[in-house]
Amino acid sequence: MEERARIPYSPSDVETKWQRIWEDRGTNAFTLEELRSAGNRYYQLMMFPYPSAEGLHVGNIYAFTGADVHGRYRRLLGHTVFEPIGFDAFGIHSENFALKQGIHPMDLIPSNVANFTRQLRRIGGMFDWNHTVDTTDPKYYAWTQWLFIQLFNAGLAERKEAPVNWCPSCMTVLANEQVIGGRCERCDTPVEQRRIAQWFFKITDYAQRLLDNLDHLDWSDSTLKAQRNWIGRSEGAELHFPIVGREERVEVFTTRPDTVFGATYMVLAPEHPFVDLVTTDEGREAVEAYRTEAQRSDLVTRQKADKTKSGVFTGGYCRNPATGDNIPVWIADYVLMDYGTGAIMAVPGHDERDFEFATAFDLPIVRVVAGPGEDGGTPLLEAYVDNQAGTMVNSGRFDGLGVPEGKTAITDWLEAEGLGKRQINYRIHDWCISRQRYWGPPIPIVHCEACGPVPVPEDQLPVVLPRVEDFRPDDSGISPLARVEEWYKTSCPECGADARRETDVSDTFLDSGWYFLRYPSTDFDDRALDPEITQRWLPVDCYIGGNEHAVLHLLYSRFLTMALAELGHVDFEEPYDRFRAHGLIIREGAKMSKSKGNVVIPDPIIEEYGADTFRTYLMFLGPFGEGGDYREAGIQGPYGFLHRLWDTVVNSASGEDHPSGSVADPDVERKLHQTIAQVTGQLADLQYNTAIAAMMEYLNAVRAGGREAARAEVEPLVVMVAPFAPHIAEEMWERLGNESSIFDHAEWPAYDEDKARESDVQLAVQVNGKLRGTVSVPAGADQQRAEAAARAEPNVARFLDGSQVRRVIHVPDRLLNFVVG
RNA sequence: GCCGGGGUGGCGAAAUCGGUAAACGCAGGGGACUUAAAAUCCCCCGGGCUUCGGCCCUUGUGGGUUCAACUCCCACCCCCGGCACCA
């Protein structure tokens, strides 16, 4: 063979070149006209990042690359793929960082965004930089405020005073869902309770629809399950327990109305409004003491399930509507004010918590359900909680009914008597969006003494967050903006009287709850969502993100979309057709963290190996949905693969004398079509690691024994590798003589089943389930033929010799098993 | 405690409508080419035994179903993530 100068692969040259070309040609950017007219659209979305000062971390890159690979794959299939990215830059994280470093967030965020943008361009994502959002840009949050007003006008926003979680360290209120095990999600400080008037979105109005729609979404099962659990529907009954000696009655929610005959006492949450009502003079002192203690104690001790039960007797009684007995009313902190009615009927025989409480305070325990082999007299050593098996006992005329029937029968009876009704309860709470902080969009409300809360007129949006140098929260619990008189003093939009702006800002989950709706409409400053474009591009076709947002972000954005649909702003109520959670990247078997100093920093890796290798390695090191272990040495695999691919394509297929016109080798061609089948299917399912393995295997076959590749053998591989390694693919595509971008003109290789078919297959031969040999038979060989070939195999014959074959199992093209006895 | 996900070579991992366990890659060993190195190509690479034909064992543990189990069933152990007195 003639010596030729090898053209070396230089990742940085190739990547710089193509990033510039994409930029110049607008390869990935849409004009307004293109957005309007696009056909066969595909909206590929990834969860937008918080632009931290540290820059992009591997977790971000992993997620974005996984999404980008799928988007590029779709584009090669002929879809018009819109793949935007933006920045979720408001919130407590920036604010805390800014305070610590003494840099104002208004100065910090733009430089972080610039750095992120630089890094994002470098990893070669197919981002449309014409349609990006920054939640801190007044042009964006004007519409976040607009969204608030739409919900306010629809009666979906309400201001209510509520006990809230207060973090004494961050000096701010936390949503229930931001409290992790009774501690502040961010600083791990034990959370306390305070009462503050706040704005809530009534997501609970949509609980059932949010639950029902889950049945029709193409989402990961684990995510669906997490949403169902969070919504927490439970069916039961609300029962009335009249307070002895008074008009009022205590309402309780129970999922076990069948056990009402076993309700031997009641418990109210310490905050329950009826506590004063039921408490007698004798009980008052103890009750007051207990309530004070409960209010002071933070939610940590309040919510520890393994804490020993505490409580006090109020001195008052209610009448059990089933038995007619008077039963004592206690208060205890194991009953939570914010679930159900804040009061329970205690059935110690059939509820573990009530059993524990009754045992501690020597309250009567009555059996009203008998398990298999038990009867009404069987002593209860622990609560019997099975709510399927079991028969009702000690329940008057209901004795003998099974538990499920008993629930219906008792509920029907009490309903008829006016003592209760069927009830469905949800665990989910209304969404508190008020934050007593600085770094967020001001809630667009003006408080007027005469008119009450009045929304800022839409033509006056945005309500611009003023630059305040001292925005440190203080112990007063009021928002930093409440210290800026020249900002909050205003006049009422309705009556013109002196008024005061709302000084709370909104939750970042509101910013991120609708950003994906905004991307396609960012060309418009006069409307949040352009109806025509929104209809064309939404809902999102494929959404990729972390499972840490499986509940809150996804639920909130579903709720907002549903509300907007109801208000006529969008014509769909579910925002994401398909959602897939990506896994977590660890490093050398250990979780990455700044404190351990084992964080993977992308820039030096891209410098050394190139973005294409980095991307390919990240997608190769484990299943995308599960994450994987980033091991320094492992990057050599994909690095070598891309080098060999380059060498094969550029150095053997670009010169004049290369065999590019020659017909592909039939064995290689078969392997090619098998590879096409596998890669095509696996890119659709985001199974990237095995798709890459298949391409490696194919390249090995192409190069086996140092053979020269034919163009027809490598060109399809260049297309298939393009989603993972877009820059090198473009370069190879160009060197193969193509003029325009591979992503605009290449076609995804067509799979030909006939060409993929093997003529002969290796059949495994077993004797009594143990492998004794393999034989080559024509594909599709029948049992007779397979058996003949198998018996001819000496080692098989040896094991069959002298034995009686009692059965033969034949799995065509796979295996033949002789059962001998 | 409850809900998810997982446990397979030295390492990252493949294979789950039950059908040749370890594809692909890393690390390691040997060889070819080279003045040398890199790159490339070829071979070996779970454990034990071997008459070199093969044989036995091996997918967290213990049982079970089956001609056949990483895959299904029962019990248990461990790791990761989430939720946690929700009546």
Side-chain angles (χ1 to χ4, degrees):
Chain A
M1 191 180 80
E2 191 191 332
E3 272 299 312
R4 239 187 291 120
R6 315 294 278 185
I7 302 163
Y9 167 42
S10 162
S12 60
D13 291 347
V14 170
E15 290 172 11
T16 311
K17 169 181 166 183
W18 284 97
Q19 283 168 16
R20 204 194 60 239
I21 293 176
W22 292 336
E23 195 67 35
D24 293 348
R25 292 187 190 158
T27 303
N28 303 318
F30 283 79
T31 62
L32 177 55
E33 205 32 59
E34 284 166 342
L35 276 182
R36 279 211 168 106
S37 61
N40 200 15
R41 60 93 173 170
Y42 196 86
Y43 187 168
Q44 173 68 48
L45 181 70
M46 51 203 83
M47 287 182 181
F48 66 164
Y50 161 72
S52 69
E54 294 82 33
L56 213 52
H57 60 82
V58 248
N60 294 135
I61 297 178
Y62 184 66
F64 298 160
T65 302
D68 187 59
V69 168
H70 187 72
R72 288 185 180 273
Y73 161 71
R74 288 283 175 171
R75 183 157 170 178
L76 286 163
L77 284 178
H79 289 94
T80 306
V81 179
F82 179 51
E83 191 176 289
I85 189 105
F87 303 99
D88 187 17
F90 266 135
I92 198 164
H93 193 118
S94 317
E95 194 171 314
N96 286 346
F97 185 89
L99 286 171
K100 214 166 112 190
Q101 302 293 319
I103 310 168
H104 197 280
M106 285 184 178
D107 301 325
L108 178 73
I109 292 300
S111 74
N112 288 359
V113 165
N115 187 40
F116 260 63
T117 304
R118 178 189 64 78
Q119 290 184 306
L120 285 167
R121 286 178 193 269
R122 234 184 146 185
I123 62 167
M126 204 169 57
F127 305 121
D128 178 354
W129 292 105
N130 286 356
H131 294 90
T132 182
V133 304
D134 169 352
T135 56
T136 65
D137 183 342
K139 282 185 175 160
Y140 179 83
Y141 71 71
W143 300 111
T144 306
Q145 292 171 336
W146 170 87
L147 179 59
F148 175 91
I149 291 168
Q150 303 316 302
L151 269 72
F152 176 87
N153 289 338
L156 287 171
E158 66 173 339
R159 190 168 159 84
K160 56 185 178 188
E161 191 166 292
V164 293
N165 305 295
W166 174 259
C167 174
S169 167
C170 300
M171 305 207 181
T172 193
V173 169
L174 305 172
N176 278 328
E177 38 274 48
Q178 290 168 324
V179 180
I180 310 294
R183 289 169 177 271
C184 174
E185 171 186 65
R186 193 145 316 272
C187 67
D188 212 35
T189 305
V191 170
E192 297 171 357
Q193 302 174 68
R194 282 200 180 183
R195 287 182 81 84
I196 301 182
Q198 322 221 43
W199 288 101
F200 286 82
F201 281 159
K202 294 189 194 172
I203 190 171
T204 52
D205 285 5
Y206 291 80
Q208 189 61 50
R209 255 160 90 187
L210 288 165
L211 186 64
D212 290 341
N213 283 4
L214 291 174
D215 295 341
H216 312 294
L217 297 177
D218 175 17
W219 287 19
S220 321
D221 283 343
S222 61
T223 313
L224 291 173
K225 188 129 197 174
Q227 294 242 327
R228 291 197 177 98
N229 290 345
W230 192 265
I231 295 168
R233 176 190 159 106
S234 54
E235 293 177 23
E238 195 172 285
L239 305 182
H240 313 319
F241 284 66
I243 299 169
V244 173
R246 298 199 65 101
E247 294 290 299
E248 295 86 352
R249 58 197 193 190
V250 174
E251 319 257 330
V252 304
F253 173 72
T254 178
T255 54
R256 296 295 305 275
D258 56 301
T259 62
V260 66
F261 283 86
T264 54
Y265 66 101
M266 310 270 301
V267 185
L268 306 184
E271 307 86 349
H272 196 284
F274 282 5
V275 172
D276 285 335
L277 226 60
V278 293
T279 302
T280 58
D281 292 341
E282 298 78 61
R284 192 153 318 270
E285 195 180 328
V287 165
E288 285 308 323
Y290 187 79
R291 287 180 96 181
T292 309
E293 187 55 37
Q295 258 162 20
R296 192 174 26 214
S297 89
D298 52 71
L299 286 168
V300 198
T301 39
R302 188 66 204 271
Q303 290 194 347
K304 268 259 166 66
D306 52 2
K307 189 185 71 161
T308 48
K309 298 272 182 290
S310 67
V312 296
F313 177 45
T314 62
Y317 290 84
C318 278
R319 198 178 75 243
N320 181 321
T323 62
D325 293 344
N326 289 348
I327 57 175
V329 179
W330 287 61
I331 64 170
D333 65 3
Y334 82 95
V335 173
L336 309 174
M337 192 57 223
D338 57 1
Y339 184 77
T341 60
I344 60 158
M345 65 175 200
V347 184
H350 306 284
D351 181 283
E352 284 171 10
R353 299 152 299 183
D354 297 344
F355 186 90
E356 192 193 327
F357 191 83
T359 308
F361 293 100
D362 210 18
L363 290 156
I365 300 171
V366 174
R367 177 188 281 278
V368 290
V369 178
E374 299 174 334
D375 60 37
T378 311
L380 280 157
L381 301 173
E382 55 179 5
Y384 178 78
V385 297
D386 193 316
N387 68 357
Q388 285 301 316
T391 310
M392 293 177 63
V393 292
N394 300 324
S395 299
R397 61 191 170 94
F398 297 95
D399 283 358
L401 287 179
V403 165
E405 303 88 77
K407 285 181 184 176
T408 310
I410 296 253
T411 309
D412 287 346
W413 171 55
L414 291 175
E415 211 160 31
E417 299 285 315
L419 293 166
K421 58 170 200 260
R422 283 198 158 59
Q423 176 79 33
I424 290 163
N425 233 302
Y426 300 91
R427 199 197 79 112
I428 189 175
H429 296 117
D430 279 333
W431 173 15
C432 175
I433 58 134
S434 296
R435 294 292 178 274
Q436 291 66 40
R437 302 217 123 222
Y438 169 67
W439 192 233
I443 292 172
I445 288 287
V446 171
H447 296 282
C448 167
E449 259 181 52
C451 310
V454 178
V456 173
E458 289 178 23
D459 61 10
Q460 290 174 28
L461 297 179
V463 177
V464 176
L465 179 71
R467 183 171 178 119
V468 173
E469 294 306 330
D470 177 23
F471 53 85
R472 192 174 295 272
D474 63 29
D475 200 23
S476 63
I478 57 168
S479 165
L481 291 177
R483 303 196 293 261
V484 189
E485 196 180 332
E486 63 276 20
W487 182 80
Y488 70 68
K489 275 184 91 165
T490 185
S491 55
C492 173
E494 273 179 20
C495 68
D498 284 352
R500 183 186 163 100
R501 287 189 189 282
E502 169 70 55
T503 52
D504 284 356
V505 298
S506 60
D507 183 9
T508 42
F509 276 118
L510 181 57
D511 306 325
S512 61
W514 75 285
Y515 74 109
F516 56 95
L517 295 173
R518 177 64 182 165
Y519 280 138
S521 293
T522 52
D523 292 307
F524 300 93
D525 285 337
D526 63 341
R527 65 201 89 161
L529 311 173
D530 180 71
E532 185 196 333
I533 285 196
T534 302
Q535 183 169 19
R536 181 169 291 268
W537 284 96
L538 282 139
V540 169
D541 292 283
C542 179
Y543 193 20
I544 306 267
N547 233 344
E548 69 274 18
H549 291 117
V551 176
L552 301 180
H553 162 66
L554 291 177
L555 203 57
Y556 291 155
S557 53
R558 291 181 61 216
F559 158 69
L560 292 173
T561 304
M562 212 172 261
L564 285 171
E566 194 136 281
L567 299 174
H569 295 287
V570 298
D571 61 357
F572 51 92
E573 58 177 55
E574 285 296 334
Y576 320 114
D577 282 345
R578 188 182 193 212
F579 173 76
R580 291 291 180 276
H582 64 255
L584 231 63
I585 296 290
I586 58 172
R587 183 181 186 182
E588 315 281 344
K591 212 168 150 178
M592 276 183 269
S593 73
K594 246 189 299 175
S595 55
K596 279 191 216 146
N598 65 342
V599 179
V600 177
I601 301 164
D603 288 290
I605 298 168
I606 292 174
E607 241 132 73
E608 188 172 355
Y609 300 99
D612 284 334
T613 291
F614 192 35
R615 289 167 58 105
T616 308
Y617 178 47
L618 286 173
M619 295 302 102
F620 180 66
L621 54 70
F624 185 60
E626 289 167 33
D629 190 354
Y630 187 96
R631 303 178 70 254
E632 205 65 54
I635 200 168
Q636 291 300 336
Y639 188 60
F641 169 64
L642 291 183
H643 268 92
R644 287 190 292 277
L645 179 62
W646 171 275
D647 181 68
T648 310
V649 174
V650 173
N651 293 319
S652 69
S654 67
E656 287 300 315
D657 55 341
H658 67 87
S660 65
S662 66
V663 176
D665 179 312
D667 287 334
V668 174
E669 188 179 46
R670 186 181 316 115
K671 187 87 187 159
L672 170 63
H673 282 273
Q674 291 170 350
T675 305
I676 292 170
Q678 184 176 344
V679 173
T680 304
Q682 296 195 322
L683 289 207
D685 286 344
L686 282 66
Q687 291 169 14
Y688 300 139
N689 57 334
T690 46
I692 293 167
M695 290 190 282
M696 288 174 166
E697 213 175 325
Y698 174 62
L699 183 63
N700 290 344
V702 169
R703 290 170 63 89
R707 69 185 283 279
E708 287 249 312
R711 179 186 178 122
E713 293 168 356
V714 294
E715 196 156 357
L717 182 58
V718 170
V719 179
M720 287 191 286
V721 89
F724 298 96
H727 313 85
I728 192 178
E730 287 274 30
E731 182 67 24
M732 292 186 295
W733 182 249
E734 187 180 72
R735 286 173 186 264
L736 285 169
N738 299 289
E739 302 245 312
S740 57
S741 171
I742 190 170
F743 296 102
D744 286 331
H745 282 83
E747 279 182 18
W748 190 256
Y751 168 57
D752 185 332
E753 199 178 343
D754 290 332
K755 288 180 177 162
R757 190 170 294 127
E758 300 278 355
S759 54
D760 294 291
V761 295
Q762 291 298 113
L763 193 71
V765 183
Q766 298 180 338
V767 178
N768 280 347
K770 286 194 187 275
L771 186 73
R772 296 305 178 195
T774 56
V775 292
S776 182
V777 295
D782 62 13
Q783 182 165 337
Q784 196 180 9
R785 190 147 179 195
E787 210 176 309
R791 285 178 185 277
E793 174 70 22
N795 198 48
V796 175
R798 186 158 71 91
F799 280 90
L800 292 179
D801 190 35
S803 315
Q804 169 94 27
V805 175
R806 298 184 353 180
R807 205 174 145 192
V808 180
I809 283 119
H810 179 229
V811 182
D813 294 348
R814 299 291 291 178
L815 150 153
L816 193 73
N817 186 11
F818 293 98
V819 184
V820 303

